[in-house]
Amino acid sequence: MSRKLQRTEVCADCSAPDPGWTSINRGVLICDECCSVHRSLGRHISIVKHLRHSGWPPALLQMVQTLASNGANSIWEHSLLDPAQVQSGRRKPNPQDKVHPTKSEFIRAKYQMLAFVHKLPCRDDDGVTTKDLSKQLHSSVRTGSLETCLRLLSLGAQANFFHPEKGTTPLHVAAKAGQILQAELLVVYGADPGAPDINGRTPMDYARQAGHIELAERLVECQYELTDRLAFYLCGRRPDHKNGHYIIPQMADSLDLSELAKAAKKKLQALNNRLFEELAMDVYDEVDRRENDAVWLTTQNHSTLVTERSAVPFLPVNPEYSATRNQGRQKLARFNAREFATLIIDILSDAKRRQQGKGLSSPTDPFDLGIDDDQHDYDSVASDEDTDSELTTQNNNNTMDSSDLSDGPITLQEYLEVKKALASSEAKVQQLMKVNNNLSDELRRLQKEVGSMKVGVISSEGHLMHSLNHRMLSIEQKRKKKVGVERNGLCTSEQLGSFGEVGDHWPDGACCCFSPQVPKPEKHGSGTDSDYDNTQTYDLSLRSGGRGESEEGGGGDVGEPDPTLPCTEDVILKTEQVTKNIQELLRAAQEFKHDSFVPCSEKIHSAVTEMASLFPKRPALDAVHCSLRLLASSASRLQVECRKAAPSEPGGPAVDYQLLTQQVIQCAYDIAKAAKQLVTITTREKKQ
């Protein structure tokens, strides 16, 4: 299937126009040069396919188009606008940059190292686990938000997650909801279309029962994707899956009947199911490599891109595989067309035999053939290291031994009995897993209660110590009343207006201005110190307007702090408004629209003021007070920095816009950090 590219589409990695390739599992479009790097990474990192010259299932192509047009690339470049990245000089490549090392290093960092993906906090009492992410994925796939599910998968959600309470996988949920694009995404990330639910029903069953026939048929195709792809590679046809699931192509001339080929076929048939599946998957990857090579040579028309550095002569190393298996995968590239076709036909034939539960016509024991579960010996199939005589001798010895050790072929009845017993064992395992999960949840709940009790004890001790300190300070104040009066006379209310930290109080819902050039007053001990003296570097009793002490200045009681926190939903709503305005400012910085700095900073300041007004003027928690102070001071400092972007008078000093932009981004980052802290604190306190 082909598609007409829009002019607005650019390469996700270097912004080159009219990208012709796509990375299916990343949901992005890429140009020819970046594609050469993606291919060298391997299919375990990036599954590439040409948009026009490759065969596409319609739903899979639509899934990629939807992700690409809805900003999937921002998932893989999440932190590129982080101030630390700006200061370190990290930038995205341009189309004119060299493939090596500029583009290749960036692409490897982006997709292989996941250097720019949003990182989750380390596991703690409030941390997000893989199980939490997988449960979110299980719930999200019933909607049409593909980018949300891709983000969860990028963070570690498991596509084959079995929900212990609901007894289904995410693919069951997507199939029941008729979300065919979600099903495509899940399958790309390894979801099993034949996985049973707690009652033994597959996602195909869910789709059929819900009336989603097209989705059910597509899931059947996904289940047989491997053998369908191998057959299509040889003969250009796929089975319709209504009259049969396998097509066994025939070669124009007879198959290779040499002793080497016969020995290789017997060795393949003797592989246990796990090793056979690994061999079939490796051959599938080799088919994909050869097909992409053919498209690559056709589309490049022997241009400068077709060089040794951009070619992929064999399958790249997958670090998750053993060295033996990686060697076997790379040897597949040395097969000529006839040898490779013979291997594919043998795999298709044996896959059909294994699926139907048929035994070997000439049974051999895999142990006699030297097959070890921990070793991948299939790489010697048609290998250049083995000679005809060696394999013939080995085959003869194995045939002699098999007459003594083999029990004969397994009957269909025996196979069904074993399968039934396996299904029963699987159900018991799932039940035990559910019990284990319930016990784990109960353990976490008890641990949380113990933690809360510890916090209560510490809080009680803190209040007691504060009461004692307060009384001691009052006695000290009376003893040194004259010194206290002199100290209180150090600063007038006008002076306090310039010295005061932003966020100390919020008169009429607004915050006072903060000038970073003005030094803070020296802190002096006083009996009127507030509850936050252990976290501040100045005296909170010295307030503009005389707040915090009596009109006589004698150190009256500051009053009890208001412990009431705003509704979590209101805080989140205001935080989203702040974030939206920050994003607008960052876009202006990206596009060098310095004249937009001032209006953007005003919007941010207004949003920050509205958010701060939700909280009490004297919050009970130190963390809330510190976050509010950081929020307001950063917003005011942002205004000061943004005003510097205004055009200077003729003859005035030139503006260093690069430094200014860094300062602006740093302020925006501090605002976002403080807002996030307030959301976290409010959410945690409301849960307790």
Side-chain angles (χ1 to χ4, degrees), residues 125-126 443-460 684-688:
D125 291 342
D126 297 322
L443 178 61
R444 281 194 292 269
R445 185 185 67 80
L446 293 174
Q447 288 175 340
K448 188 174 182 180
E449 288 183 1
V450 172
S452 300
M453 293 172 65
K454 289 181 180 179
V455 171
V457 172
I458 294 172
S459 177
S460 299
R684 183 177 65 243
E685 292 299 322
K686 291 296 182 181
K687 285 182 178 180
Q688 292 180 354

Side-chain angles (χ1 to χ4, degrees), residues 155-333:
L155 293 174
Q158 300 298 308
N160 270 321
F161 172 73
F162 187 87
H163 201 292
E165 289 82 21
K166 300 182 180 180
T168 56
T169 68
L171 194 54
H172 286 93
V173 178
K176 184 177 181 179
Q179 294 291 344
I180 189 169
L181 301 188
Q182 295 282 23
E184 292 285 353
L185 179 61
L186 291 170
V187 170
V188 167
Y189 273 82
D192 182 6
D197 69 354
I198 196 169
N199 297 316
R201 295 184 300 168
T202 66
M204 286 93 77
D205 297 330
Y206 275 67
R208 291 192 185 97
Q209 291 173 3
H212 307 302
I213 305 304
E214 180 184 356
L215 175 54
E217 293 177 351
R218 175 59 185 150
L219 288 174
V220 174
E221 293 176 358
C222 292
Q223 186 174 16
Y224 290 93
E225 163 66 17
L226 189 149
T227 51
D228 286 3
R229 180 81 175 272
L230 298 185
F232 186 83
Y233 175 75
L234 290 184
C235 65
R237 292 187 299 116
R238 300 176 186 270
D240 59 9
H241 295 290
K242 295 178 181 178
N243 301 315
H245 298 302
Y246 295 92
I247 292 179
I248 311 297
Q250 299 295 324
M251 297 183 67
D253 51 359
S254 59
L255 293 175
D256 188 355
L257 298 179
S258 65
E259 292 299 326
L260 176 63
K262 291 178 181 179
K265 185 173 183 178
K266 288 181 179 294
K267 196 169 187 179
L268 183 146
Q269 292 176 339
L271 292 174
N272 62 38
N273 287 338
R274 180 176 63 85
L275 293 179
F276 178 77
E277 289 175 359
E278 290 181 356
L279 171 60
M281 288 189 291
D282 293 344
V283 171
Y284 178 96
D285 288 350
E286 176 64 15
V287 166
D288 183 78
R289 185 194 69 82
R290 295 190 181 204
E291 287 183 338
N292 279 334
D293 265 350
V295 174
W296 181 263
L297 293 173
T298 301
T299 56
Q300 297 309 310
N301 196 23
H302 303 286
S303 68
T304 55
L305 283 177
V306 185
T307 63
E308 291 183 359
R309 301 196 71 176
S310 63
V312 183
F314 47 77
L315 290 175
V317 172
N318 185 338
E320 296 182 0
Y321 296 161
S322 66
T324 307
R325 183 174 178 183
N326 276 310
Q327 292 172 3
R329 285 164 57 85
Q330 294 180 352
K331 287 181 181 179
L332 292 173

Side-chain angles (χ1 to χ4, degrees), residues 51 56 66 68 81 138 144 167 225 238 242 328 331 364 396-397 419 452 486 517 528 542 568 581 639:
L51 287 164
W56 280 94
T66 302
L81 281 179
H138 190 279
E225 163 66 17
R238 300 176 186 270
K242 295 178 181 178
K331 287 181 181 179
T364 57
N396 292 336
N397 293 336
K419 186 176 181 181
S452 300
E486 292 175 353
Q517 288 80 17
T528 57
L542 302 179
T568 304
N581 294 331
Q639 285 185 301

